Amino acid sequence: MKKLFVIAALFCGFTAANAQEPTIPMFGAPVTDVNFDPYVEAPKGYDQERAGIERGKVESIEYKSESVGTVRKATVYLPPKYDANKKYSVLYLLHGIGGDEREWMDDGGVPNIIMDNLYADGKVADMIVVMPNGRAAKDDSRAGGYGSAGAFGVFDKDLIGSLMPYINSHYSVYTDKMHTALAGLSMGGGQSLNFGLANMDKFAYVGGFSSAPNTGRPQQLIPDVEKTKKENKLLWMVCGGADGLMSNSANLKRFCDENGVPCTLINYPNEGHNFTVWKYGLYNFAQLIFK
Ligand code: FER
């Protein structure tokens, strides 16, 4: 089995040393047997640093993880003029198999720039963005690669049991589900769908960007259609049209359409498994939550 992983990793162009998301090839024809939602181009410059606007602040935090048994790191974006006398919503934003708590910031996700621009244009609710390390293991370094898929699977214990309580007690935030969102890219997209839909009392808004094969089967994600319809406020996905992982998102979208569960899946035209799609995901998802 381990051998299979290694072969798959090599085939996908993934090595631990380069520590970035794997190149995902497209197998067979693109997925078309699903109702995609319309792709609307993001405005030019949405991901470029804009002169003359207020900027938020990015900081690194450390918290004690009960489930992992170590002190773990996370990255936090605070919006311009973050004010401890006000209260903010929280978006937890997860990374992929090749990343860690710095991936969005260091590998081209520019979440701070996207959020600064959205704030400047008055397009988002007041929120902070928390970027955890979703590899819930004692060694949570990027070198884990595909071998750490299991650690991604148990991150919910750390997120809900330790990180969220830390954030709730160290920042001026609302703690209820209507002010808490979970989204991520690739492995982080799968985690968001898995953990977000399994914990609708904690997360009302769930986003999956190019979700990976760790994504649960639709019937596992939505075992009770009526409950999901009632308790989830946003189920939003995007994936590149040339990304071999599209079926993970398409399977869920198809199930939702068949069962009357509101759900969005945007097919980013001709795009692969990369930050072009993930930046677009953040830009759009951030505008839809907490409103
Ligand atoms: C896989 C292909 C891709 C897989 C995970 C990924 C666990 C993750 C990709 C990413 O996070 O970018 O078969 O299996």
Side-chain angles (χ1 to χ4, degrees):
M1 193 63 191
K2 189 152 190 194
K3 217 176 213 168
L4 251 181
F5 265 124
V6 173
I7 292 165
L10 288 175
F11 187 69
C12 293
F14 180 81
T15 55
N18 69 10
Q20 59 186 24
E21 296 320 304
T23 304
I24 303 291
M26 189 71 203
F27 291 105
V31 174
T32 52
D33 60 337
V34 64
N35 290 319
F36 291 114
D37 293 275
Y39 164 79
V40 179
E41 212 177 316
K44 217 169 168 296
Y46 84 96
D47 57 349
Q48 306 288 317
E49 201 167 288
R50 204 188 296 170
I53 62 165
E54 304 253 22
R55 300 201 190 292
K57 196 175 136 202
V58 176
E59 54 192 37
S60 176
I61 59 152
E62 294 194 341
Y63 65 99
K64 195 167 170 294
S65 169
E66 295 299 331
S67 66
V68 182
T70 53
V71 172
R72 311 197 70 224
K73 288 195 168 81
T75 305
V76 179
Y77 165 86
L78 300 176
K81 293 202 180 106
Y82 170 81
D83 176 358
N85 294 314
K86 274 170 58 175
K87 275 199 172 189
Y88 295 80
S89 295
V90 188
L91 164 58
Y92 290 90
L93 185 64
L94 310 182
H95 62 83
I97 196 97
D100 58 17
E101 75 282 355
R102 290 291 309 178
E103 179 176 27
W104 275 92
M105 283 301 297
D106 292 350
D107 292 50
V110 293
N112 54 328
I113 294 173
I114 292 170
M115 294 305 295
D116 285 350
N117 290 342
L118 285 170
Y119 269 101
D121 293 338
K123 288 182 170 170
V124 281
D126 283 339
M127 72 181 92
I128 71 169
V129 182
V130 178
M131 293 165 271
N133 183 320
R135 190 181 284 100
K138 287 199 164 60
D139 177 0
D140 60 7
S141 74
R142 292 181 173 207
Y146 285 100
S148 56
F152 281 80
V154 295
F155 174 62
D156 52 338
K157 311 273 180 307
D158 176 47
L159 172 66
I160 293 169
S162 298
L163 178 57
M164 290 173 72
Y166 178 94
I167 295 296
N168 292 345
S169 60
H170 287 75
Y171 292 94
S172 188
V173 295
Y174 294 107
T175 60
D176 60 303
K177 62 176 274 182
M178 293 305 288
H179 294 91
T180 312
L182 182 60
L185 72 89
S186 202
M187 282 299 277
Q191 288 177 309
S192 298
L193 298 172
N194 295 345
F195 305 154
L197 293 172
N199 296 280
M200 292 188 289
D201 58 326
K202 306 224 160 32
F203 309 100
Y205 313 87
V206 175
F209 314 153
S210 318
S211 299
N214 62 329
T215 305
R217 315 275 328 146
Q219 291 84 352
Q220 295 172 316
L221 295 174
I222 305 183
D224 183 340
V225 165
E226 291 313 313
K227 184 173 153 75
T228 302
K229 276 199 217 171
K230 209 166 108 208
E231 296 184 13
N232 174 267
K233 297 301 165 208
L234 180 72
L235 175 50
W236 192 95
M237 299 181 283
V238 64
C239 188
D243 185 336
L245 299 187
M246 174 63 93
S247 59
N248 302 304
S249 306
N251 290 341
L252 179 56
K253 170 66 173 160
R254 218 178 282 114
F255 178 90
C256 286
D257 287 355
E258 283 165 10
N259 289 279
V261 179
C263 171
T264 297
L265 173 55
I266 294 173
N267 176 332
Y268 195 120
N270 307 315
E271 204 52 69
H273 194 69
N274 59 51
F275 264 110
T276 300
V277 177
W278 306 330
K279 286 188 295 184
Y280 180 85
L282 174 59
Y283 174 78
N284 284 282
F285 185 76
Q287 294 179 66
L288 296 170
I289 55 182
F290 315 132
K291 291 180 170 172

